[in-house]
Amino acid sequence: MVDARSRLKEVYAHPVGRDAIDKVLLQLGRSRGWVRNPVVANLRLGTVARLARPVLGDGFVSSLVTVLADHDDGAARLDQVGAPAQHAPDGAAAPGGVVLAGAEWWREAVFYQVYPRSFADSDGDGIGDLRGITSRLEHLADLGVDCVWLSPIFDSPNEDMGYDVRDYRAVMAEMGTLADLDELVAGCHERGMRIILDLVVNHTSAEHEWFRAAVADPDGPYGDYYHLVPGAPGEDGSGPPPNNWTSFFGGSAWRWVPEARRWALHLFAPGQMDLNWENPQVRAEVAEIVRWWRGRGIDGFRLDVINYISKRSGLPDGNEAIGRLMGFPGIEHYFFGPHLHAYLAELRQAGFTRRSDDPPPASTARERFADGTLGGPLPPDEAGVMVGETPGVGVEMSRLLSNRSRAELDLVFNFDVLDGPGKVRWDDYRYDLAYLKGFYLDYLARTGPGDAIALFYDNHDNPRMLSKVLGAKDRDPELRAAAAKVLATIQLTLPGTPFLFQGQEIGAVNQEFTSVGDLQDVESRNRYAELCETGLSEAVALAQVLPGARDHARVPMRWEPGLTTGFTAGTPWQTGREDSRGFTVAEQTDDPDSVLTYYRDLIALRRAEPALTRGAFRALAPRSRTYFGWLRTAVGGSADWLIEVNLTSRTIRRPRGVPEAETVFGSPGGPLRATLAPYECRVARLTPGNGRTASAAGDSTGADPASSGVITSWSKMEGWSA
Ligand code: NOJ
Ligand code: MG
């Protein structure tokens, strides 16, 4: 149990403490070496509290202790923080008796996120829809996608583009009908692809029937579905809200609902009402929704902000210093809440796991073999895949949520990869790929086969990684294609499960928005309005919104050249303002050098060569900030692989000792050169037995990018062998 007498190193040995300290250091742009300094490591928390009081005020340390205590019951600990855990062998029963092995298709799969509103419009209303997606399934099958994830398509008033659900069992009118969805599911399965949907159950729309019933009778059964809190006697909404929590979309996280005479909690937009997961009825409803969709053939869900569902009882005020540091007062009371693990384990059992008497789902995906050909329909999965969207969790918390032995989530998104040290999404800066390398080496060194890593850079909530890396150079077609291939190479050949976001496969970049009128997203618009209210000029406010605007990734897919890019026959709901030539599906499909061809070929290679998914991993030159090279070892008699990328737009020297290998993609053939061209990448097959002589390349010059314990020996690599 951590308390004020504990030393900082004990906090760092606690999974939540470790992540919290790492997060603060990352936020401050400081190295982790700081906390390993023996003097600092041996400080008692009480002393830290006294020393830090002038900066952090009172209560910071006690808030931290409280959060750690929530996860201090032994059950919430993995055996060793910061190093690979001892993993249950494949086939072992997880707590609760669920046998998970064999069902873990998602470990080797390539996921592809579709933003339905912007993928393809079938009826000319300018809004992407389900039939549009069905009409483009061949593109996804060709690309080699194993599982399609659809962002929300459930009935919604669209205050936050479907992340505000009005009816969990109906399709949004502009997207089509349930029958259209059934057809889409069957179309995916027929092509050997699974399909998952977005489950948004931290909150519902204020228009959901549960919320309407709660407002009509706050003391009735539905009143307890939400966080409805009475004000002071005579309250009319003008008094202070129940606590100091703020919304991610600006302002207080509370709004006064006059009809109910209650305050209602909304961590997001005012129409996104947080559900009260302490109520077992709410949890049972969610499990039933999942089971209903599983029966229709849905293979699992991505679970929206799922780490926010457990809020500390009594909803106390957030610590101000933590609020300042993280930008959101109150966050320590819900981002990794007290009952999170229990709720997830329960949902896995009650919602996602098949029961012996369940009727078979409407359809299942056909088996797809290593050469891409299709077999018959697979038997139903024992459990639907659970992909957690988990903002704010670090490596250890990710393991607590997704390690096989825990029987909670299967995969989680760790967002720390998206912005460099000291940076946040709204900053205008060039992302250094050395950080990405350090991030993954650290992550891989601290995980083993029972853990799972989701590899992703782009989604509907972020600007394009390609643009963050290249800055204004993202308009240079050569650099753009080369850097897109670097990102593809890393994402498709490191250990982990890649999640592509639509457009990545054609090298999509950010848009040229020039006025706030170009922005459709509630978050961007609110931020702009708030900045203007602080007295900033419109131009300055816009400049502080554009770098992080979610709109960049939400523009229509570029299928072909032309004003509406083959997305619609009508007027698109949002217009793409990027009109480069050569970066559409039509232009790239048959071009052997295109980004699309590279993705397609690399995914096919990945399927054919198990070393690239299940093979052990070893980094070459782990300390280099410019070169990223690694080996993946043979599985079942296949080849060893060498992968190399130049992380920069400059020519760099290749480290000495890179083993002989035959290039399959990327770099031009011929003898190995001493240098790598800007963003050059190379995927190469090692000549037999050669990989193990590669130790000379195991180190090189350059500062270590904030990574601890990179993988440097073959024995550690075994952690990633099948
Ligand atoms: C995360 C989703 O990805 C984002 O688009 C949404 O605004 C919030 N969750 C709230 O549901
Ligand atoms: Mg439409």
Side-chain angles (χ1 to χ4, degrees):
M1 187 79 173
V2 170
D3 60 26
R5 289 180 309 275
S6 306
R7 297 180 191 276
L8 209 54
K9 63 184 179 198
E10 293 166 56
V11 178
Y12 210 55
H14 185 295
V16 179
R18 164 89 193 236
D19 280 357
I21 292 176
D22 283 354
K23 185 94 190 163
V24 171
L25 293 173
L26 180 68
Q27 206 84 355
L28 299 174
R30 293 280 163 76
S31 145
R32 288 184 200 156
W34 184 84
V35 78
R36 295 217 174 78
N37 171 319
V39 176
V40 177
N42 281 309
L43 285 176
R44 288 191 196 276
L45 269 189
T47 316
V48 175
R50 262 201 320 284
L51 293 173
R53 186 170 295 135
V55 188
L56 299 178
D58 286 322
F60 183 88
V61 165
S62 61
S63 298
L64 184 67
V65 167
T66 311
V67 177
L68 264 53
D70 289 339
H71 302 276
D72 225 359
D73 58 0
R77 303 200 62 150
L78 292 168
D79 37 12
Q80 221 187 332
V81 173
Q86 296 304 306
H87 303 284
D90 275 4
V98 211
V99 175
L100 299 167
E104 296 183 326
W105 57 269
W106 43 266
R107 286 192 186 270
E108 286 160 39
V110 173
F111 284 71
Y112 183 103
Q113 182 189 355
V114 167
Y115 196 65
R117 225 179 169 70
S118 298
F119 197 63
D121 173 27
S122 70
D123 58 3
D125 68 352
I127 298 175
D129 45 48
L130 297 177
R131 283 166 171 253
I133 302 170
T134 304
S135 75
R136 294 290 188 177
L137 284 181
E138 242 6 83
H139 169 71
L140 302 181
D142 266 10
L143 185 59
V145 167
D146 298 297
C147 184
V148 178
W149 150 29
L150 301 187
S151 271
I153 48 136
F154 297 156
D155 175 44
S156 162
N158 281 313
E159 188 170 338
D160 184 22
M161 293 306 169
Y163 284 94
D164 46 330
V165 177
R166 186 164 45 202
D167 183 347
Y168 291 97
R169 291 179 178 82
V171 168
M172 194 187 294
E174 57 264 55
M175 296 280 165
T177 62
L178 266 181
D180 294 337
L181 185 58
D182 291 341
E183 205 177 308
L184 171 55
V185 172
C188 287
H189 286 167
E190 183 53 36
R191 290 170 177 82
M193 301 186 285
R194 286 179 170 86
I195 176 167
I196 65 172
L197 303 179
D198 220 310
L199 186 67
V200 188
V201 286
N202 172 69
H203 41 265
T204 72
S205 162
E207 295 183 20
H208 193 286
E209 61 178 17
W210 301 336
F211 192 71
R212 290 175 195 259
V215 168
D217 180 9
D219 300 313
Y222 288 97
D224 201 32
Y225 269 45
Y226 295 89
H227 297 282
L228 294 179
V229 178
E235 172 68 273
D236 59 0
S238 56
N243 68 26
N244 67 351
W245 299 7
T246 58
S247 151
F248 290 97
F249 293 160
S252 168
W254 294 92
R255 76 177 164 94
W256 178 250
V257 183
E259 310 90 289
R261 304 199 61 74
R262 296 282 200 283
W263 291 95
L265 179 69
H266 61 91
L267 290 180
F268 293 90
Q272 292 171 295
M273 317 320 302
D274 280 68
L275 282 166
N276 174 17
W277 276 68
E278 279 193 33
N279 182 347
Q281 196 55 41
V282 166
R283 306 202 299 272
E285 298 259 21
V286 172
E288 274 317 303
I289 292 167
V290 171
R291 298 184 69 73
W292 193 81
W293 283 107
R294 294 273 296 127
R296 284 195 100 89
I298 295 301
D299 298 293
F301 282 94
R302 174 264 194 190
L303 299 114
D304 188 67
V305 290
I306 198 67
N307 56 317
Y308 292 180
I309 55 178
S310 168
K311 279 109 185 159
R312 187 176 310 289
S313 280
L315 312 177
D317 272 337
N319 173 268
E320 281 183 15
I322 295 179
R324 264 200 316 277
L325 204 63
M326 297 295 147
F328 302 102
I331 195 161
E332 71 273 25
H333 296 309
Y334 60 77
F335 94 103
F336 206 65
H339 306 298
L340 178 59
H341 298 303
Y343 295 165
L344 291 176
E346 181 186 312
L347 181 58
R348 176 171 204 96
Q349 281 300 315
F352 282 81
T353 305
R354 260 183 81 73
R355 296 179 188 145
S356 51
D357 56 349
D358 278 347
S363 64
T364 59
R366 288 172 67 183
E367 185 169 14
R368 189 159 42 178
F369 302 110
D371 64 359
T373 56
L374 295 171
L378 290 162
D381 293 329
E382 283 312 305
V385 68
M386 297 175 77
V387 181
E389 194 229 6
T390 50
V393 310
V395 171
E396 300 303 328
M397 292 177 185
S398 298
R399 297 180 61 217
L400 284 179
L401 293 172
S402 63
N403 184 275
R404 177 186 291 142
S405 65
R406 314 258 319 150
E408 296 179 27
L409 299 170
D410 293 314
L411 287 157
V412 295
F413 294 125
N414 184 325
F415 290 94
D416 287 341
V417 70
L418 292 184
D419 287 292
K423 299 294 183 198
V424 295
R425 170 155 62 95
W426 304 108
D427 292 330
D428 195 1
Y429 73 104
R430 292 276 296 275
Y431 181 99
D432 183 351
L433 285 173
Y435 170 74
L436 184 126
K437 170 180 172 177
F439 174 86
Y440 280 128
L441 289 188
D442 176 49
Y443 203 160
L444 289 169
R446 288 159 63 184
T447 48
D451 293 307
I453 296 185
L455 300 158
F456 75 103
Y457 323 119
D458 280 13
N459 62 24
H460 63 296
D461 289 334
N462 282 279
R464 296 284 184 177
M465 180 56 96
L466 197 49
S467 294
K468 285 201 283 192
V469 169
L470 291 177
K473 289 194 197 148
D474 69 355
R475 266 41 183 182
D476 173 327
E478 263 173 50
L479 276 180
R480 175 174 173 183
K485 291 176 187 174
V486 163
L487 291 174
T489 307
I490 297 173
Q491 196 178 11
L492 293 167
T493 69
L494 278 188
T497 302
F499 281 76
L500 311 181
F501 178 64
Q502 66 182 49
Q504 240 184 291
E505 75 275 32
I506 49 169
V509 292
N510 282 352
Q511 305 299 306
E512 274 152 28
F513 298 120
T514 51
S515 84
V516 69
D518 295 343
L519 305 177
Q520 302 269 358
D521 177 30
V522 56
E523 184 195 39
S524 311
R525 286 167 173 255
N526 285 1
R527 179 173 166 83
Y528 175 82
E530 278 193 353
L531 289 169
C532 288
E533 271 167 31
T534 68
L536 293 183
S537 73
E538 292 182 0
V540 173
L542 191 63
Q544 293 189 16
V545 171
L546 289 185
R550 306 196 293 184
D551 308 70
H552 288 296
R554 297 180 177 192
V555 300
M557 179 73 179
R558 304 189 76 219
W559 295 104
E560 55 192 55
L563 219 51
T564 56
T565 62
F567 161 71
T568 181
T571 309
W573 72 279
Q574 163 70 297
T575 315
R577 286 167 173 78
E578 189 273 298
D579 59 357
S580 57
R581 293 176 62 177
F583 289 87
T584 62
V585 173
E587 290 162 292
Q588 294 192 10
T589 287
D590 298 321
D591 172 356
D593 295 326
S594 71
V595 176
L596 180 55
T597 302
Y598 191 84
Y599 266 94
R600 204 188 276 139
D601 290 351
L602 195 48
I603 292 173
L605 182 73
R606 188 187 145 91
R607 178 172 303 111
E609 291 288 331
L612 294 176
T613 46
R614 275 179 281 138
F617 167 85
R618 181 192 175 195
L620 305 173
R623 301 171 77 85
S624 171
R625 296 184 62 86
T626 57
Y627 172 91
F628 193 9
W630 61 95
L631 301 167
R632 299 298 310 267
T633 38
V635 174
S638 64
D640 291 321
W641 288 83
L642 162 73
I643 297 104
E644 299 178 280
V645 298
N646 176 352
L647 298 173
T648 75
S649 57
R650 304 181 303 279
T651 299
I652 60 162
R653 289 196 73 73
R654 182 177 252 124
R656 275 171 293 126
V658 170
E660 282 300 322
E662 169 214 347
T663 300
V664 173
F665 294 139
S667 311
L672 205 58
R673 286 167 299 125
T675 57
L676 284 165
Y679 296 120
E680 181 172 336
C681 22
R682 174 167 178 249
V683 178
R685 192 182 284 117
L686 253 72
T687 38
N690 198 13
R692 276 150 225 269
T693 64
S695 57
D699 206 350
S700 86
T701 50
D704 185 6
S707 76
S708 65
V710 285
I711 299 171
T712 52
S713 74
W714 283 95
S715 64
K716 266 206 176 172
M717 270 182 70
E718 302 315 325
W720 274 102
S721 52

